[in-house]
Amino acid sequence: MKKIGVLSLQGAVSEHIDKLGNFEGIQPCAVKYKHEIEAVDALIIPGGESTAIGKLLSDFDLSGIIKSRILAGMPVWGTCAGMVILAKKIRNDERRHLEVMDIEVMRNGYGRQIDSFSTSVRLTEISQGEIPLVFIRAPYVVGADSKVKVLLRINENIVACRQDNMLATSFHPELTEDLSFHRYFAGMCG
Amino acid sequence: MTERYELNKNLAQMLKGGVIMDVVNAREAEIAQKAGAVAVMALERVPSDIRKMGGVARMSDPKMIKEIQGAVSIPVMAKVRIGHFAEAQVLEALNIDYIDESEVLTPADEEFHIEKHSFKVPFVCGAKNLGEALRRIGEGASMIRTKGEAGTGNVVEAVRHMRTVTADIRKVQSASRQELMTIAKEYGAPYDLISYVHENGKLPVINFAAGGIATPADAALMMQLGCDGVFVGSGIFKSSDPAKRAQAIVKATAYFNDPLIVAEVSEELGTAMDSLDVRELSGNSLLASRGW
């Protein structure tokens, strides 16, 4: 049984937990204390507001433990705000959060809520079927180190990528009926 | 259900567990963002000042809204008068992230709320009970909040409205299917939405607390009553130390079920906003009775 924690400081936590509940051998749980973060096998940093999540991470002194666990190989997946939290560089913000992934992101890259959109793609590495993608005031990656594997681009922008044990997506698989990205991440957890 | 409506409900989901703060200028918006707010509500006067100054309260100056949009990266919301669809068109033209069709402003139409499905930008509306919440959702609201009693610093009405919605949901959920049309008639709510509540035991959109929240413990109370997040209006910038109180309410909302943390953040916050006893307000100064 693998325990996957969803960082539960702010944002779309229950949506990820509901999705993870569909898999045999996965025990999902909400985590917001050091001892809870120490006890999980993998972590999802959900969508929400990166400024709010980042502030709480630092106020409650959780960045250190999460960062050291990620550097020690714990699988982690950041969706939307979670991508911003993982990034080493943020082009349009002086704030930095966990600084573990060699990507440079653009916050609110697509603009305001009126520019939020959904689409779908085929991505054989993740799934045989069509995958629906939902972007809510989403960030995207403008630059990535060669250590980072690009999984998906939309127009010029990287919207899904992986660096070893770290996965980042601009979009929100937890808001759709599709399970393929959650299945992919469960696979990363061995 | 259109794709746009789904995206608008989705934005509200991203605000869960967060605090949305009333601000009247760019400087306050920056303080709110720095304190960890998930969004700001741009308005010209906070509710407690609207009460004191009287007169007609309207949508804010577009210039002020643009300055706030320029100052922060979190979503910017703004209020329109109930039924004032032209004010809503103006806010949509400004690319506002969420419109609050709000009883805090002076209603422009005492009979009809805005037909919200015809807008691309999302709407949040206040409700005192399940029927009112479902009427607003039927009109196109993609997020609901309790009305509470804004500008009082008194949480009693927000508690009443949240408890009423919860009790109404329980009643609809435990009713038999044969009873649903009669319940829809009693509540004045669309049948398909009553049917949704019957099957799912919850509202089809996110529900925040609003109207009277002034302290970290107030926020923790509303979260434990089942709200998805909180709006704080006059409570922050009418208190003696806004930045400190704002941070404290953000922390108490995130750790609402941890009394030790709520206790710790409640220390030495200075004085809360001036408050009002709701029982002493006369009928026409009760904002929650605006709209239906």
Side-chain angles (χ1 to χ4, degrees):
Chain A
M1 194 58 111
K2 292 278 176 193
K3 244 177 132 171
I4 302 185
V6 182
L7 186 66
S8 174
L9 294 173
Q10 190 274 315
V13 176
S14 59
E15 289 80 354
H16 273 297
I17 289 181
D18 290 349
K19 283 278 164 301
L20 293 171
N22 288 292
F23 300 100
E24 293 276 330
I26 298 286
Q27 184 194 345
C29 54
V31 294
K32 59 179 167 189
Y33 295 97
K34 277 185 190 172
H35 69 271
E36 292 173 334
I37 293 165
E38 276 161 2
V40 295
D41 299 300
L43 185 69
I44 293 178
I45 303 174
E49 280 303 318
S50 65
T51 49
I53 297 172
K55 170 100 171 68
L56 289 163
L57 274 176
S58 107
D59 285 353
F60 287 96
D61 197 22
L62 300 173
S63 304
I65 171 76
I66 296 178
K67 193 169 172 168
S68 66
R69 289 222 52 202
I70 294 172
L71 295 176
M74 174 181 72
V76 65
W77 175 18
T79 53
C80 195
M83 171 189 262
V84 178
I85 298 285
L86 292 176
K88 279 196 180 166
K89 290 186 186 161
I90 306 171
R91 184 166 287 185
N92 51 349
D93 196 344
E94 71 267 17
R95 271 168 287 250
R96 300 289 178 274
H97 307 287
L98 296 177
E99 299 178 88
V100 285
M101 208 166 166
D102 290 289
I103 52 175
E104 179 174 14
V105 301
M106 180 79 95
R107 287 189 59 207
N108 303 336
Y110 294 96
R112 296 198 162 274
Q113 173 59 9
I114 200 135
D115 308 300
S116 290
F117 65 101
S118 57
T119 183
S120 62
V121 292
R122 278 193 184 280
L123 188 57
T124 47
E125 177 152 0
I126 304 292
S127 162
Q128 291 308 308
E130 188 105 331
I131 307 173
L133 307 175
V134 178
F135 295 79
I136 306 292
R137 287 173 46 92
Y140 53 69
V141 175
V142 285
D145 189 273
S146 57
K147 288 174 272 190
V148 178
K149 183 176 181 196
V150 175
L151 296 171
L152 180 65
R153 275 178 205 269
I154 290 191
N155 302 326
E156 291 304 294
N157 310 311
I158 301 167
V159 295
C161 55
R162 178 174 172 178
Q163 179 178 357
D164 306 319
N165 56 324
M166 298 177 278
L167 174 68
T169 60
S170 302
F171 47 85
H172 294 279
E174 77 282 10
L175 296 177
T176 70
E177 296 299 311
D178 184 73
L179 290 172
S180 24
F181 267 91
H182 287 84
R183 186 174 294 115
Y184 179 80
F185 184 62
M188 281 171 65
C189 304
Chain B
M1 209 71 73
T2 65
E3 181 190 323
R4 181 50 53 185
Y5 184 62
E6 284 300 316
L7 293 167
N8 288 342
K9 286 204 297 185
N10 289 159
L11 175 58
Q13 285 171 277
M14 294 306 137
L15 303 174
K16 283 195 299 178
V19 182
I20 300 169
M21 302 181 191
D22 277 6
V23 297
V24 300
N25 54 46
R27 188 188 58 85
E28 287 187 0
E30 283 167 21
I31 294 171
Q33 174 169 276
K34 210 167 158 217
V38 289
V40 289
M41 177 74 70
L43 73 178
E44 238 149 56
R45 291 180 279 166
V46 294
S48 67
D49 284 338
I50 291 174
R51 281 184 188 282
K52 273 188 211 145
M53 293 151 109
V56 175
R58 310 180 179 89
M59 176 189 77
S60 299
D61 182 340
K63 181 162 184 281
M64 181 268 268
I65 293 171
K66 284 197 222 162
E67 283 167 5
I68 291 173
Q69 285 175 323
V72 295
S73 60
I74 54 180
V76 177
M77 304 182 164
K79 290 182 193 289
V80 299
R81 287 178 265 178
I82 290 174
H84 207 315
F85 54 84
E87 284 186 347
Q89 289 162 357
V90 170
L91 291 186
E92 182 167 67
L94 296 176
N95 283 348
I96 202 83
D97 292 302
Y98 241 98
I99 296 175
D100 184 1
E101 186 184 19
S102 176
E103 68 283 359
V104 168
L105 305 185
T106 311
D109 191 324
E110 295 189 328
E111 201 172 353
F112 301 109
H113 283 251
I114 297 171
E115 199 288 290
K116 293 169 269 289
H117 283 297
S118 52
F119 287 81
K120 286 199 184 98
V121 293
F123 279 81
V124 54
C125 289
K128 302 184 293 294
N129 53 51
L130 180 63
E132 190 172 15
L134 297 182
R135 287 193 289 281
R136 298 294 84 79
I137 296 167
E139 292 158 356
S142 46
M143 179 177 180
I144 291 294
R145 56 172 173 76
T146 61
K147 281 183 164 173
E149 193 54 36
T152 60
N154 188 338
V155 79
V156 65
E157 293 301 306
V159 168
R160 190 192 319 281
H161 299 159
M162 188 58 200
R163 284 204 184 274
T164 304
V165 168
T166 309
D168 290 347
I169 289 174
R170 222 179 286 131
K171 185 183 161 191
V172 172
Q173 201 181 7
S174 61
S176 72
R177 280 214 76 85
Q178 289 96 315
E179 296 170 273
L180 295 186
M181 186 57 89
T182 301
I183 291 177
K185 181 187 164 205
E186 257 172 42
Y187 284 6
Y191 177 79
D192 60 328
L193 294 176
I194 287 285
S195 193
Y196 176 93
V197 172
H198 175 68
E199 278 159 30
N200 297 281
K202 59 176 190 182
L203 288 177
V205 303
I206 293 303
N207 184 21
F208 267 48
I213 291 131
T215 68
D218 286 348
L221 172 68
M222 295 312 298
M223 293 298 287
Q224 288 185 51
L225 287 174
C227 291
D228 294 307
V230 298
F231 283 88
V232 187
S234 326
I236 289 170
F237 289 98
K238 286 289 163 186
S239 71
S240 63
D241 190 346
K244 193 168 179 194
R245 185 168 293 261
Q247 291 185 46
I249 294 178
V250 167
K251 290 179 190 169
T253 303
Y255 287 85
F256 66 89
N257 45 12
D258 188 332
L260 276 178
I261 288 178
V262 179
E264 192 186 306
V265 303
S266 301
E267 277 183 27
E268 294 186 283
L269 289 182
T271 47
M273 62 179 286
D274 290 338
S275 48
L276 291 169
D277 188 335
V278 178
R279 285 167 302 183
E280 286 166 12
L281 296 176
S282 64
N284 58 8
S285 58
L286 282 172
L287 303 178
S289 59
R290 296 168 168 183
W292 62 281

